[in-house]
């Protein structure tokens, strides 16, 4: 049997990994790289920030590249020691074996990464799919989380499937059939409320073209799963998010998360704009200063 792969071919894999390397060069801080062997496969890890800083895990968004979502939180690298793994089974350099986001698997994967780094507990930031992974950890191993920030989070409530089909899936099928920038722009604009950077749009388009997308969303978290999770949690959501709309996320979060210390909403899509990230990073900085002791 050949190597399990999420890529449609070797050329596509190189294209995505070239995007990865180019994005690393845009980050305004130095990045170290390491590989960690886990029960689920070899995991590529990015590390940044002062080595004596408090540890901060950042779990990437799904179906994108780690440096892209890591770049969103660049100001935090001045103060915190950041650990950002390439999610196993997603684009990047980790093994390409897909694991379930509906059971304990991702929690165990994170636990093994933390053990390798010598971390008993730490703060977490999870954008999109990464929020769903953080909630799996909160459900199965809450003691490993000191506090958590969930941005445009999966794992709580899904938006209208009909809207997703009309506004994302159908334009994506047209893009795959035609390679027309018109269809890709339609997707990018809907995902970001017309603010996505051109570089990010091209990367998303190449991921559509060259990978077998992860279609399984993280499990929608139930209240009973988080009874033991009492850690401070901040949620940041967008009222134009086609995947996880703010009004649905807010209701679910208040029902499910025991210690929801704050819920911030912005007039933004699933991909926040650079201007929104100025405010988001300030929200996160204040939250960590208050709760990450």
């Amino acid at each position: 049997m050949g190597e399990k792969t999420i890529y449609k071919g070797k050329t596509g894999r190189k294209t995505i990994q070239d995007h990865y390397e180019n994005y690393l060069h845009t980050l305004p801080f130095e990045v170290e790289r390491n590989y960690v062997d886990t029960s689920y496969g070899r995991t590529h890890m990015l590390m940044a920030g002062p080595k004596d800083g408090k540890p901060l895990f950042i779990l990437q968004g799904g179906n994108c590249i780690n440096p892209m979502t890591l770049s969103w939180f660049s100001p935090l690298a001045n103060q915190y020691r950041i650990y950002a793994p390439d999610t196993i089974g997603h684009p990047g350099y980790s093994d390409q074996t897909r694991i379930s986001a509906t059971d304990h698997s991702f929690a165990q994967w994170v636990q093994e990464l933390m053990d390798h780094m010598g971390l008993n507990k730490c703060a977490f930031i999870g954008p999109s799919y990464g929020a769903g992974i953080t909630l799996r950890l909160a459900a199965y191993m809450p003691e490993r989380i000191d506090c958590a920030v969930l941005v445009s989070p999966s794992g709580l409530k899904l938006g209208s499937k009909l809207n997703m089909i009309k506004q994302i899936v159908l334009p994506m099928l047209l893009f795959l059939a035609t390679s027309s920038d018109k269809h890709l722009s339609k997707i990018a604009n809907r995902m970001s409320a017309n603010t996505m950077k051109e570089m990010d749009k091209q990367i998303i388009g190449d991921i559509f073209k060259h990978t077998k997308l992860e279609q399984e969303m993280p499990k929608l978290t139930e209240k009973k799963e988080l009874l033991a999770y009492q850690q401070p949690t901040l949620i940041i959501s967008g009222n134009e998010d086609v995947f996880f709309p703010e009004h649905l996320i807010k209701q679910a979060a208040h029902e499910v998360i025991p210690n929801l210390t704050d819920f911030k909403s912005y007039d933004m899509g699933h991909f926040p704009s650079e201007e929104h990230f100025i405010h988001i990073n300030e929200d996160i900085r204040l939250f960590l200063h208050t709760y990450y002791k």
Side-chain angles (χ1 to χ4, degrees), residues 2 54 69 88 92 119 141 157 166 184 192 200 211:
K54 290 182 179 179
T69 45
I88 201 160
L119 303 175
M141 302 172 192
K157 202 76 172 178
K166 289 166 55 178
L184 181 58
S192 68
D200 291 354
T211 73

Side-chain angles (χ1 to χ4, degrees), residues 83-99:
Y83 300 89
D86 293 3
T87 303
I88 201 160
H90 288 250
Y93 289 95
S94 292
D95 280 354
Q96 296 161 52
T97 305
R98 291 230 157 106
I99 62 178

Side-chain angles (χ1 to χ4, degrees), residues 62-128:
N63 294 318
C64 71
I65 53 173
N66 192 7
M68 182 189 294
T69 45
L70 178 59
S71 73
W72 295 352
F73 309 104
S74 291
L76 299 174
N78 294 325
Q79 181 176 354
Y80 295 96
R81 180 61 172 173
I82 291 173
Y83 300 89
D86 293 3
T87 303
I88 201 160
H90 288 250
Y93 289 95
S94 292
D95 280 354
Q96 296 161 52
T97 305
R98 291 230 157 106
I99 62 178
S100 175
T102 64
D103 60 16
H104 70 284
S105 300
F106 269 119
Q108 184 176 336
W109 174 70
V110 173
Q111 178 193 40
E112 292 180 21
L113 295 176
M114 293 179 72
D115 287 347
H116 180 87
M117 298 298 169
L119 303 175
N120 291 322
K121 62 190 300 191
C122 69
F124 280 80
I125 297 177
S128 189

Side-chain angles (χ1 to χ4, degrees), residues 44-283:
H44 179 251
M45 178 85 76
L46 300 179
M47 297 165 290
K51 293 186 177 180
D52 60 351
K54 290 182 179 179
L56 174 62
F57 252 72
I58 299 179
L59 297 168
Q60 73 173 84
N63 294 318
C64 71
I65 53 173
N66 192 7
M68 182 189 294
T69 45
L70 178 59
S71 73
W72 295 352
F73 309 104
S74 291
L76 299 174
N78 294 325
Q79 181 176 354
Y80 295 96
R81 180 61 172 173
I82 291 173
Y83 300 89
D86 293 3
T87 303
I88 201 160
H90 288 250
Y93 289 95
S94 292
D95 280 354
Q96 296 161 52
T97 305
R98 291 230 157 106
I99 62 178
S100 175
T102 64
D103 60 16
H104 70 284
S105 300
F106 269 119
Q108 184 176 336
W109 174 70
V110 173
Q111 178 193 40
E112 292 180 21
L113 295 176
M114 293 179 72
D115 287 347
H116 180 87
M117 298 298 169
L119 303 175
N120 291 322
K121 62 190 300 191
C122 69
F124 280 80
I125 297 177
S128 189
Y129 197 96
I133 296 177
T134 304
L135 287 168
R136 290 298 86 211
L137 185 65
Y140 286 96
M141 302 172 192
E143 71 280 359
R144 305 308 296 259
I145 300 174
D146 195 297
C147 57
V149 180
L150 311 178
V151 181
S152 303
S154 65
L156 288 170
K157 202 76 172 178
L158 277 174
S160 164
K161 290 185 179 180
L162 181 59
N163 284 344
M164 289 185 222
I165 291 170
K166 289 166 55 178
Q167 299 173 20
I168 303 295
V169 177
L170 290 180
M172 181 175 67
L173 293 175
L174 290 169
F175 168 69
L176 291 174
T178 66
S179 296
S180 168
D181 187 72
K182 176 181 73 173
H183 299 302
L184 181 58
S185 293
K186 185 174 182 180
I187 299 167
N189 289 339
R190 184 63 187 91
M191 289 176 66
S192 68
N194 303 303
T195 64
M196 189 178 290
K197 294 186 293 186
E198 181 66 23
M199 177 172 66
D200 291 354
K201 185 184 81 171
Q202 295 305 321
I203 292 171
I204 294 298
D206 281 337
I207 287 172
F208 289 161
K209 283 183 182 177
H210 298 301
T211 73
K212 305 164 191 172
L213 297 178
E214 172 61 272
Q215 298 182 39
E216 181 187 78
M217 292 283 192
K219 181 182 185 292
L220 299 183
T221 308
E222 300 175 61
K223 183 176 182 177
K224 64 183 180 182
E225 293 185 286
L226 298 186
L227 293 178
Y229 175 68
Q230 298 296 323
Q231 285 79 340
T233 302
L234 165 65
I235 291 183
I236 300 170
S237 185
N239 57 22
E240 295 187 51
D241 190 331
V242 65
F243 301 112
F244 316 115
E246 179 265 347
H247 67 285
L248 295 180
I249 297 301
K250 189 171 188 177
Q251 179 182 347
H254 281 289
E255 292 173 356
V256 168
I257 297 176
N259 192 7
L260 182 63
T261 58
D262 203 356
F263 187 102
K264 300 280 189 180
S265 60
Y266 288 99
D267 186 19
M268 66 185 192
H270 187 64
F271 269 59
S273 68
E274 291 185 332
E275 181 179 348
H276 282 124
F277 269 116
I278 294 172
H279 301 290
I280 288 170
N281 277 290
E282 181 61 15
D283 292 337

